[in-house]
Amino acid sequence: MNSDLYYGRKARRQHYAAEGGESPFAGKKTLIVGMARSGVALAKLLHREGAHVTVSDQKPWEAFGDQLDEIRELPLRFCLGEDGLDALKGQDLLIISPGVPIDAPIVKAAKERGIPVSGELEIASRIAKGQMVAVTGTNGKTTTVSLLGAIFTAAGKIARVCGNIGYPLSAAAMESRWDDVIVAEVSSFQLETTDTFHPLTAAVLNVTEDHLNRHGTMEVYTGLKRHIFDAQTEKDYAVLNYDDAACRAMAEGLRGRVLFFSRLQDVEQGAFVRDGQVVLRLGGEEKTVCAVEEIRIPGPHNLENALAAAAIAASRGVPAPVIRHALRTFPGVEHRIEFVRELEGVRYINDSKGTNVDSTIKAVQSMKAPTALILGGYDKHVSFDPLAEEIAKTPLIQNCVLIGVTAGQIEAALKKAGYAAVHHAATLQEAVETCRKLSRPGGSVLLSPACASFDMFSDYEQRGRIFKEIVNKLV
């Protein structure tokens, strides 16, 4: 890789400290492929850094609506409605959005021409100032980084919660300062294109089957999650879930100092539960944070998220009383087991962020009342058998209403598990109306699809918002 294109965070700090220091991207010809939120934010950032920016997307101008308004007037080269191959000529760097596969034709062409290929997370992390904390895992990322944002804010820090959460790291980098804390939610798609990405504390929360339509095998997927630690040094911290076998195995060979978290047993260094109390143990010192029952966000999965956040925050020097306050007051995040309303004695719950089997299993386990469950969506080539088995052995899940491309697969898995209370709906509106008819006072309606949303919606956020709109219009 060209050293003049790639600066580590320390080198960049020194570079910018110099009088009149120039960005390492100044004057560089960069092609950004994929104009989702992260692509737009990166285009603004690289323009500010003095790069010559070309942006490309297969969608034409008119398909974006107002999404490109932020960069419409900037002196960029726009190549919309095309694959970007023609725009690749003469470029110094190709940057792909997370939605562009690593084996896409544009990537292959760049590599054949010797053009470095990177991603928004990698490039923005080289420009961003502040302490970098990063969290990945199959489930729990958004809750954990949002909770960390609350913890660091309570500690008096400016916390920029960003990454794969809807607020790109590039946007945070535009405003960041050296005394900020940047808390990044990181996906396996983003980790495919990282090289020097260096969080001072990084965490893998869990690893279960997901995104196999993209990554092919669990070995590749797990390896990408572990890649978050690869640039760390002996001074950094690696936080891992001791109760998850795949996470526990990642500890071997890491350069960073390993902290485990566990809700089932004591750990030598990290966060754990003992006698109903959350306990921190770091550097031989042990501190009680709070009682498990004081944690505001419910469910065993959220206890794991809270333990992870406590370990991460403690590694960055946040005192236990500050962590305690945040755990007691943090209300949770939108689209994750989010209470919408109660109507005719029935509670409606939005878990649109349940985009994989394991996430929905955790939502099912959190239900405390007879529940009608809405399942189905985009096909990520995973098995629904574990979810079907959990539903079949959970008497509270009294009905399942299936939507989307995967409805047939889920029905087959449910029948295989011996579960027969299956209904179909053509739309989310119809699914909600069916659940309403099936529910009785004291019950719940839960949207937790166990699938991505792309067959019917632009993303899980749109799916969740539409679900809430439908529910709030019920009379």
Side-chain angles (χ1 to χ4, degrees):
M1 292 187 176
N2 299 335
S3 60
D4 61 337
L5 283 180
Y6 291 94
Y7 271 59
R9 290 177 61 75
K10 182 177 180 181
R12 190 176 186 283
R13 182 193 288 260
Q14 293 169 342
H15 187 82
Y16 272 75
E19 187 68 27
E22 186 180 55
S23 166
F25 296 99
K28 302 303 178 184
K29 296 178 181 178
T30 61
L31 171 61
I32 304 170
V33 176
M35 283 291 100
R37 279 176 289 198
S38 62
V40 171
L42 182 61
K44 290 177 63 179
L45 179 63
L46 285 176
H47 169 68
R48 188 197 72 176
E49 296 289 297
H52 301 297
V53 181
T54 300
V55 298
S56 176
D57 197 289
Q58 291 183 343
K59 295 191 296 185
W61 267 110
E62 55 270 19
F64 285 96
D66 61 358
Q67 296 175 40
L68 303 183
D69 285 357
E70 294 180 58
I71 59 173
R72 188 181 296 268
E73 303 302 323
L74 295 180
L76 312 179
R77 178 187 175 195
F78 291 92
C79 299
L80 302 180
E82 55 185 78
D83 57 18
L85 287 169
D86 291 340
L88 192 59
K89 184 178 180 180
Q91 299 292 339
D92 296 314
L93 176 65
L94 170 66
I95 308 170
I96 58 174
S97 77
V100 177
I102 199 69
D103 59 354
I106 185 76
V107 176
K108 293 179 179 178
K111 291 180 177 178
E112 289 171 358
R113 302 179 194 187
I115 300 172
V117 178
S118 194
E120 184 262 347
L121 180 73
E122 172 72 17
I123 300 303
S125 71
R126 297 174 190 274
I127 297 171
K129 307 177 183 72
Q131 294 184 56
M132 180 71 69
V133 171
V135 178
T136 193
T138 306
N139 296 306
K141 299 184 293 295
T142 300
T143 298
T144 302
V145 298
S146 300
L147 174 54
L148 280 167
I151 293 173
F152 286 120
T153 299
K157 295 285 187 180
I158 294 176
R160 303 188 184 276
V161 180
C162 58
N164 193 43
I165 194 174
Y167 176 53
L169 179 55
S170 291
M174 291 283 287
E175 303 174 346
S176 62
R177 298 293 180 265
W178 289 116
D179 56 354
D180 294 351
V181 179
I182 295 177
V183 185
E185 176 183 325
V186 179
S187 72
S188 58
F189 292 5
Q190 292 170 306
L191 287 166
E192 282 185 317
T193 51
T194 57
D195 179 30
T196 67
F197 177 59
H198 180 187
L200 303 181
T201 299
V204 179
L205 303 179
N206 44 62
V207 181
T208 59
E209 193 175 81
D210 200 12
H211 300 305
L212 298 191
N213 59 323
R214 168 95 167 227
H215 302 310
T217 68
M218 278 300 294
E219 288 74 18
V220 171
Y221 178 56
T222 303
L224 284 169
K225 293 298 188 186
R226 192 184 188 278
H227 184 46
I228 198 171
F229 303 119
D230 284 356
Q232 288 194 312
T233 71
E234 293 79 3
K235 296 180 180 180
D236 302 321
Y237 287 92
V239 177
L240 292 163
N241 185 348
Y242 192 86
D243 303 333
D244 184 300
C247 286
R248 189 167 63 248
M250 291 181 187
E252 186 175 354
L254 294 183
R255 287 191 294 272
R257 292 172 281 186
V258 174
L259 301 179
F260 284 114
F261 64 92
S262 172
R263 64 182 177 87
L264 302 177
Q265 57 190 297
D266 288 16
V267 296
E268 186 175 342
Q269 293 287 319
F272 57 94
V273 175
R274 184 176 61 206
D275 298 329
Q277 301 287 322
V278 173
V279 180
L280 281 169
R281 184 184 288 156
L282 274 78
E285 187 176 0
E286 192 173 293
K287 295 180 180 179
T288 299
V289 178
C290 67
V292 169
E293 63 184 16
E294 294 180 84
I295 299 173
R296 183 172 174 182
I297 47 178
H301 61 293
N302 277 326
L303 173 56
E304 292 180 357
N305 297 334
L307 291 166
I312 294 166
S315 78
R316 307 308 328 149
V318 178
V322 175
I323 298 172
R324 177 186 306 121
H325 170 76
L327 295 185
R328 287 172 170 172
T329 57
F330 179 69
V333 298
E334 187 181 16
H335 308 302
R336 190 64 177 126
I337 314 185
E338 175 195 11
F339 172 71
V340 180
R341 73 178 291 199
E342 183 173 324
L343 176 67
E344 298 170 333
V346 177
R347 292 170 57 86
Y348 290 80
I349 300 167
N350 169 31
D351 191 49
S352 183
K353 207 171 189 317
T355 58
N356 57 65
V357 165
D358 189 64
S359 182
T360 296
I361 286 174
K362 289 180 168 60
V364 165
Q365 293 171 342
S366 298
M367 291 299 100
K368 307 297 183 186
T371 299
L373 172 61
I374 301 173
L375 294 167
Y378 179 77
D379 187 2
K380 293 196 283 186
H381 298 174
V382 301
S383 171
F384 293 102
D385 289 348
L387 173 60
E389 292 165 5
E390 184 69 29
I391 290 171
K393 72 178 185 182
T394 306
L396 289 176
I397 307 300
Q398 296 189 346
N399 291 280
C400 288
V401 179
L402 310 183
I403 60 173
V405 170
T406 57
Q409 298 173 49
I410 296 172
E411 180 177 23
L414 287 167
K415 287 184 175 179
K416 179 181 173 183
Y419 185 91
V422 176
H423 313 264
H424 286 262
T427 65
L428 185 56
Q429 174 85 42
E430 184 183 338
V432 172
E433 292 170 353
T434 300
C435 288
R436 184 182 186 183
K437 293 174 183 176
L438 294 168
S439 300
R440 297 292 179 267
S444 297
V445 172
L446 170 66
L447 169 69
S448 187
C451 300
S453 58
F454 307 127
D455 58 333
M456 300 171 73
F457 306 95
S458 61
D459 51 32
Y460 76 84
E461 292 168 312
Q462 185 195 46
R463 178 172 61 189
R465 287 194 297 269
I466 290 174
F467 173 76
K468 291 193 287 184
E469 289 171 7
I470 293 169
V471 169
N472 284 319
K473 289 179 180 177
L474 295 175
V475 294

